[in-house]
Amino acid sequence: TEESKTLGCGIASVIFVSGLISEEFYGKELILADRETVEQEADGILKEADVCDVAFLVVGDPFGATTHSDLVLRAVKLGIPYKIIHNASIMNAVGCCGLQLYSFGETVSIVFWTDTWKPESFFDKIEKNRQNGMHTLCLLDIKVREQSLENLMKGRKIYEPPRYMSVNQAAEQLLAIIQNRRLQGEEPEVTENTICVGLARVGALDQKIASGTLQQMSTVELGGPLHSLIVTGTMHPLELEMLKLFTVDSSSFENNAFQRTA
């Protein structure tokens, strides 16, 4: 969500925007402002804001990332006035699957594992939410303009192709953690049969939603990015009725879902 574009200052404004925006629409040249630019060159952005209007546009709500709070704090210190225009984000649009927003616990991020780095800390938060009867929204990893270790060490500005974690990749990592915990003598709160929800491209015309067991989520195909995964907690009967609209296998859904109803 940090990948942005910027309009040249010109007469009135510099605009940082996310996504594919037409230059014809704004009548200005669009210049890419990626995460590195936003985080490391914030002073340059604010220097322009001191002499002309700047609009900073992102995917989702402006305060879905701490980087954007940092820009506000920097602007205040420099005496630059600002105005916020809020937007929808996955944090509230996720309600489209039928799960009630006030029944969600702490949101977690699931990162891509590597051969030497396989963190599991987010799983503990999912379990804590589930023990409290709460659903967990899992935000899935995005790798944009990432450098290989070799290129990073040699200072070469060569970037890897972008990667976006899918629902089935996230589910596979969760299943691996479950197996690891069992090998350690634990019986996890989250299992292969826990009802989950996969979402893709929420808000777009081709958005996809699928509900089923965690095991089923490891094989579901929802197409292109961006994806999110929900691990359910205790569900209200109305939530169950909504999730039935998106089930990948109604028989297994019924068998597992009603074990966790309010």
Side-chain angles (χ1 to χ4, degrees):
T1 60
E2 297 289 351
E3 191 168 59
S4 311
K5 292 185 177 179
T6 177
L7 302 184
C9 188
I11 297 175
S13 64
V14 179
I15 302 182
F16 285 73
V17 300
S18 295
L20 300 176
I21 304 297
S22 168
E23 290 186 350
E24 291 77 14
F25 181 83
Y26 287 107
K28 294 178 181 288
E29 179 186 2
L30 298 180
I31 303 171
L32 184 67
D34 55 25
R35 178 190 294 269
E36 184 177 320
T37 301
V38 175
E39 292 182 350
Q40 298 181 20
E41 300 178 22
D43 290 340
I45 298 172
L46 294 171
K47 181 179 179 181
E48 297 287 355
D50 196 33
V51 295
C52 62
D53 292 334
V54 174
F56 185 85
L57 284 75
V58 299
V59 173
D61 192 78
F63 290 111
T66 53
T67 301
H68 307 150
S69 297
D70 176 66
L71 283 174
V72 168
L73 293 172
R74 288 170 181 260
V76 170
K77 289 179 180 178
L78 293 171
I80 299 172
Y82 69 92
K83 177 182 179 181
I84 305 300
I85 300 175
H86 289 285
N87 187 22
S89 76
I90 191 60
M91 302 292 284
N92 62 298
V94 70
C96 65
C97 71
L99 295 177
Q100 298 166 2
L101 292 180
Y102 58 75
S103 294
F104 279 79
E106 182 178 356
T107 298
V108 305
S109 295
I110 300 181
V111 298
F112 280 114
W113 280 352
T114 69
D115 292 338
T116 57
W117 187 61
K118 297 184 178 182
E120 298 185 4
S121 57
F122 60 86
F123 188 80
D124 298 323
K125 295 179 180 180
I126 295 173
E127 286 205 302
K128 183 177 180 181
N129 282 342
R130 189 165 165 82
Q131 288 166 357
N132 292 329
M134 310 300 284
H135 313 312
T136 305
L137 171 61
C138 303
L139 305 178
L140 308 188
D141 203 0
I142 298 172
K143 297 291 187 184
V144 178
R145 285 178 64 83
E146 294 283 330
Q147 293 176 273
S148 68
L149 181 59
E150 180 183 358
N151 286 328
L152 185 63
M153 292 178 65
K154 293 183 176 181
R156 298 186 298 209
K157 295 291 185 179
I158 300 174
Y159 300 98
E160 301 296 297
R163 291 191 296 151
Y164 305 91
M165 183 179 287
S166 64
V167 163
N168 51 37
Q169 289 174 312
E172 287 173 357
Q173 289 189 186
L174 288 173
L175 290 170
I177 293 173
I178 291 169
Q179 291 303 315
N180 289 341
R181 297 299 171 92
R182 287 181 178 147
L183 290 174
Q184 297 169 18
E186 301 177 26
E187 185 50 46
E189 181 73 21
V190 178
T191 72
E192 297 87 346
N193 294 322
T194 297
I195 294 299
C196 297
V197 186
L199 305 100
R201 302 173 304 284
V202 172
L205 293 177
D206 63 343
Q207 80 172 24
K208 297 287 184 183
I209 304 174
S211 63
T213 65
L214 178 59
Q215 188 68 56
Q216 290 169 334
M217 290 297 104
S218 69
T219 59
V220 72
E221 293 292 341
L222 296 179
L226 296 167
H227 289 199
S228 300
L229 177 69
I230 302 169
V231 180
T232 65
T234 301
M235 287 181 281
H236 187 277
L238 287 178
E239 291 179 300
L240 285 173
E241 288 299 314
M242 283 294 293
L243 291 191
K244 285 180 186 178
L245 299 178
F246 312 112
T247 181
V248 297
D249 182 345
S250 58
S251 60
S252 64
F253 182 88
E254 294 283 354
N255 291 337
N256 293 287
F258 285 98
Q259 298 175 14
R260 299 282 301 199
T261 54

